[in-house]
Amino acid sequence: MDILELLCQNSRLTDEQIATMTGLDEETVKNTIKNLEEENIILKYSAIINWEKTDKEIVHALIDVRITPQQGHGFNAIAERICQYDEVKSVSLISGGYDLSVEVEGKTMKEIALFVAERLAPIDGVLSTTTHFILKRYKQNGVFFTDGPKDKRLVVTP
Amino acid sequence: MNSEKYISDIIKKIPSSGIRRFFDLVTNSKDIISLGVGEPDFTTPWLIRKEGIDALDRGSTTYTSNLGLPELRIAISTFLKNHYNLDYNPEKEIMVTVGASEAIDLAVRCLLNNDDEVLIPEPSYVSYAPCVALTRGIPVFVPTDARNNFKLTPDDLKSKITRKTKALILSYPNNPTGAIMTENDLYDILNIIIENDLIVISDEIYSELTYEGKHVSIASLPEMKERTILINGFSKAFAMTGWRLGYIASNPAFIEAMNKIHQYTTICAPIMSQLAAIKGLNNCEEDVIKMRKTYDQRRRFIIKGFREIGFECFEPKGAFYIFPSIKKTGMDSQQFCERLLKEEKVAVVPGDAFGPSGNGFIRVSYAYSLDRIIKALEKIEHFARKFI
C-alpha cells in the first residue's frame, strides 16, 4: 500500500527511491510494482497537465446521463459502450439524481455539443443528458491548479 | 534619549540567536527554496481545527484555571500513561503552558538561584542557554559528537559536573541533530544524575516523531520521576505550532513552584487551544501516525540523497531534521549556508547556530513536500560538486 500511495503522489519515483523511503529492498519494490501492473491494480502512469497554460485549445465537459438499466446487464452495457468513444475521458456510475457521470474532451464547445447530440444522446437506453462545461479547474487528483496553498511558515525558524 | 542605557545588563549580554541572524539574511533573498524551518508542513488536523472554531462559536473565550482545563490535564495524563508508561496525577502533577517554550522558562526559573550551573548538551535548541542566563544561572555546554551519534555519553556528562551543577537539560529526539537516546543510553547516565543529585529538565517535544523503536522518557526510569521536569506539547506531533500549547509533568512541589510564576506572568494558556488539544489527544492519533509515516519516508529519502552527494551524515532517528557534516567542502557552517543561499537560493541553517559543536554541520529540515526536497537536493548537489 505504501508503494501505491507513493506512486500516486509522484509516479516518476524510481524503484530505488521508493525502496529507500519504504525500507524495502529494491528488488522487492520492482517485483511488487510488476505484479501490481500485471494484476491491473496500477493501470497507467500519467501526468496531470494544466492545459490552460499551453497553446493547446481544449475543452472539457461533465455530462450527467440518465439511463435505463438493462435486463441482465444493469448499467454496465451502456456505460461500457459510452467508454468506447475517444472523446470520453472518464465514465463513472453515480448515486443520486442521475446515473452516469461522463467526462468528455473536445477542441471546442461546439464539438462537444455535437458529440452529445449526435452520439451520446441517441444511444438506446439514454433517457437524458445534462452538459456542464468545465470553466476552470482548481484541483485535480489532489493537485492544485491555482497557486495552491502558500507555505505560510517563516523561511527559517528555530 | 539613549534607550540602550536603560536596558538591563543581562539582556545586553545575551547574544541574538544565530538563527535570527541567518533569518535576516534569508528574508532579504528572493525566490529561495527553504529547508530551514522547525515546524511541520502539515496543517493542524481538521478535527482539532474544528474544535477550535466551535470553541469560539460557543463563546469559550474565558480564562481557565492556571494549571489548565481539568479535562485536558486528564487527557494528557492518559496520553503519557498510554504512550510512555508514565503515571502523573492530573490534578497536581500536570500543568498546561503557552507552548513548550514557556515550560522551559518556568522550569529553569523555578529551579535556579544565582550562579547555579545547568548542563546543556549541544548542539541544542537555541532557547535553553539564554533562558538559563536570564534566570542568572550559568549555562554549561556539554559538547556531543557525531561519532557518538550526538548522544550524551556518561563521560561527557561527568566531565562537566561541578558542585554548582543543579540541573541537566535533556532534549531528545533532538533539535537540530535528530539524535535520540535509547532506554540503554538513558540507563548509562542514570547513576551519574542520581549520585550528583541533578534535576533533569527533559524536553520531549519531538517524542512522537521517533522513527525506530519507541521513545523512552527518562522520567520512566527508576527514581527519575521525582527529579524530572518533563516538558512536552502539541506543536510538533499535532502540527499545532501556532496554537502555542505545551505542558509540564513533574512532582507536585515543582508544579506548584512553576505555577507561581505562570499565574503572575501568563495566567493560563488560551482556552480555545486547550479545548482543541483535548480533541487532538482523544481523537487524532491516526493523524499523528500518518504524519510520522510521511516524515519517515522523507527522512530516509533525504539521508540517502545527502550521502550520495558525498556528505557524511549519521542517521537521525527522531524529529524532522538531518544534520550532515559539510566539513569536506572546506567551509565553516556560516560560509557554506551563505554561499548556498547566494549561489543556489537554497536555505538551510548553519549548525553553529545551535552551539559550537555544530560548526561544520548544517541543519536540514524535511518538513517539506517530497517534490521540494527533490528540487533542493538537486541544487545542493550542484553546489557541492564545486567542492567535493
Side-chain angles (χ1 to χ4, degrees):
Chain A
M1 204 55 76
D2 286 356
I3 294 175
L4 289 176
E5 282 170 4
L6 285 168
L7 283 174
C8 230
Q9 284 170 37
N10 184 343
S11 61
R12 295 184 74 188
L13 289 173
T14 63
D15 295 347
E16 188 192 356
Q17 287 172 325
I18 292 171
T20 304
M21 284 190 279
T22 55
L24 299 166
D25 66 73
E26 202 178 326
E27 199 58 27
T28 308
V29 171
K30 196 176 171 184
N31 291 335
T32 309
I33 291 175
K34 193 164 166 260
N35 289 340
L36 290 165
E37 288 167 350
E38 281 169 5
E39 290 166 22
N40 277 348
I41 292 172
I42 295 174
L43 297 170
K44 185 182 176 180
Y45 299 94
S46 180
I48 297 170
I49 312 288
N50 188 351
W51 291 110
E52 279 181 28
K53 288 191 171 179
T54 70
D55 294 336
K56 187 171 175 173
E57 290 293 324
I58 198 163
V59 181
H60 287 93
L62 282 173
I63 304 165
D64 308 342
V65 184
R66 283 179 61 235
I67 56 179
T68 311
Q70 293 176 315
Q71 189 77 38
H73 299 286
F75 296 105
N76 292 350
I78 297 178
E80 283 164 15
R81 177 161 173 205
I82 293 173
C83 285
Q84 302 302 317
Y85 296 114
D86 289 342
E87 294 90 334
V88 171
K89 294 300 160 191
S90 69
V91 177
S92 311
L93 185 63
I94 303 289
S95 66
Y98 57 98
D99 306 305
L100 297 178
S101 176
V102 178
E103 183 170 350
V104 176
E105 181 184 295
K107 286 196 186 72
T108 60
M109 288 168 87
K110 190 176 173 189
E111 191 176 289
I112 288 178
L114 284 175
F115 170 79
V116 175
E118 293 175 1
R119 305 180 81 174
L120 187 60
I123 294 172
D124 271 351
V126 169
L127 297 173
S128 71
T129 63
T130 309
T131 303
H132 310 276
F133 286 100
I134 293 175
L135 304 180
K136 182 175 179 175
R137 282 192 202 274
Y138 293 91
K139 195 178 184 185
Q140 185 184 345
N141 292 13
V143 177
F144 287 88
F145 271 58
T146 51
D147 287 341
K150 287 219 165 29
D151 191 342
K152 292 175 185 154
R153 298 173 297 173
L154 299 174
V155 184
V156 175
T157 63
Chain B
M1 188 179 89
N2 177 13
S3 305
E4 279 292 315
K5 78 172 187 184
Y6 297 98
I7 294 170
S8 84
D9 294 341
I10 192 103
I11 296 295
K12 281 183 191 159
K13 266 189 214 162
I14 290 176
S16 283
S17 151
I19 286 191
R20 173 63 191 272
R21 204 184 77 77
F22 194 68
F23 175 77
D24 292 342
L25 202 65
V26 170
T27 42
N28 290 327
S29 312
K30 280 193 178 137
D31 303 322
I32 62 152
I33 297 180
S34 174
L35 299 183
V37 306
E39 64 179 313
D41 60 319
F42 297 99
T43 310
T44 310
W46 170 242
L47 270 184
I48 301 175
R49 275 186 280 159
K50 185 167 181 304
E51 186 61 27
I53 296 164
D54 289 350
L56 289 172
D57 220 19
R58 292 192 302 265
S60 297
T61 56
T62 59
Y63 292 130
T64 70
S65 71
N66 298 131
L67 289 179
L69 290 168
E71 303 91 314
L72 176 56
R73 282 181 276 145
I74 290 168
I76 291 168
S77 169
T78 309
F79 176 85
L80 291 174
K81 177 69 187 165
N82 292 343
H83 285 242
Y84 307 118
N85 199 27
L86 294 163
D87 285 301
Y88 285 102
N89 177 341
E91 284 177 25
K92 294 176 181 170
E93 297 184 318
I94 288 172
M95 72 181 290
V96 178
T97 58
V98 177
S101 303
E102 190 207 354
I104 294 160
D105 184 38
L106 294 180
V108 290
R109 280 210 268 172
C110 102
L111 291 177
L112 300 187
N113 293 314
N114 285 3
D115 297 337
D116 281 344
E117 291 178 359
V118 178
L119 303 182
I120 304 170
E122 62 92 17
S124 70
Y125 178 58
V126 293
S127 293
Y128 302 137
C131 279
V132 170
L134 284 169
T135 309
R136 291 174 166 74
I138 300 173
V140 177
F141 285 128
V142 186
T144 60
D145 199 306
R147 280 170 300 185
N148 295 321
N149 291 340
F150 290 107
K151 294 174 186 219
L152 176 63
T153 67
D155 289 343
D156 292 341
L157 175 59
K158 249 190 262 175
S159 71
K160 296 289 181 181
I161 293 175
T162 71
R163 56 186 180 78
K164 285 185 178 175
T165 310
K166 192 163 193 182
L168 162 68
I169 299 182
L170 282 184
S171 174
Y172 295 96
N174 182 268
N175 172 8
T177 63
I180 61 163
M181 293 277 277
T182 63
E183 189 169 9
N184 286 340
D185 297 330
L186 293 172
Y187 266 108
D188 287 344
I189 58 170
L190 183 66
N191 284 339
I192 303 168
I193 291 167
I194 295 169
E195 281 163 15
N196 290 280
D197 200 20
L198 302 183
I199 300 302
V200 174
I201 298 168
S202 185
D203 179 355
E204 300 179 25
I205 188 76
Y206 289 99
S207 60
E208 286 296 291
L209 302 182
T210 301
Y211 305 108
E212 287 174 30
K214 192 97 175 108
H215 171 76
V216 176
S217 171
I218 194 162
S220 65
L221 268 51
E223 297 181 54
M224 282 309 297
K225 188 188 159 195
E226 290 305 302
R227 55 173 73 247
T228 301
I229 296 177
L230 168 66
I231 293 169
N232 210 322
F234 296 86
S235 292
K236 313 300 177 181
F238 292 93
M240 290 177 70
T241 49
W243 300 74
R244 307 312 305 129
L245 204 66
Y247 57 88
I248 304 174
S250 194
N251 71 54
F254 287 164
I255 292 287
E256 202 181 321
M258 287 184 280
N259 197 27
K260 279 188 195 169
I261 309 167
H262 179 70
Q263 71 189 359
Y264 292 129
T265 55
T266 310
I267 302 177
C268 66
I271 187 171
M272 49 293 267
S273 296
Q274 294 191 51
L275 289 165
I278 296 170
K279 196 57 135 182
L281 287 171
N282 292 339
N283 300 86
C284 295
E285 186 158 7
E286 284 299 316
D287 295 275
V288 177
I289 292 168
K290 205 170 153 189
M291 288 190 271
R292 177 167 58 226
K293 184 172 156 188
T294 306
Y295 288 133
D296 189 20
Q297 288 172 342
R298 297 172 186 170
R299 176 184 73 104
R300 293 160 184 266
F301 186 89
I302 201 167
I303 292 170
K304 188 152 187 277
F306 267 88
R307 285 180 179 164
E308 280 174 358
I309 294 170
F311 291 105
E312 275 179 38
C313 182
F314 91 104
E315 189 180 344
K317 294 191 173 161
F320 39 58
Y321 312 103
I322 62 165
F323 205 63
S325 164
I326 47 92
K327 289 174 185 166
K328 266 188 186 173
T329 63
M331 288 180 273
D332 65 23
S333 299
Q334 294 286 338
Q335 288 167 337
F336 181 94
C337 292
E338 284 177 25
R339 283 194 63 175
L340 181 65
L341 183 66
K342 202 169 149 201
E343 292 170 34
E344 297 290 341
K345 294 192 173 297
V346 174
V348 295
V349 184
D352 60 350
F354 305 92
S357 302
N359 195 15
F361 295 86
I362 52 172
R363 189 192 74 173
V364 183
S365 165
Y366 49 87
Y368 289 95
S369 70
L370 195 60
D371 290 345
R372 172 87 71 105
I373 291 169
I374 291 171
K375 206 177 283 178
L377 276 171
E378 282 168 9
K379 285 172 168 282
I380 291 168
E381 176 165 24
H382 183 254
F383 177 70
R385 287 285 165 258
K386 297 173 192 167
F387 309 99
I388 53 178

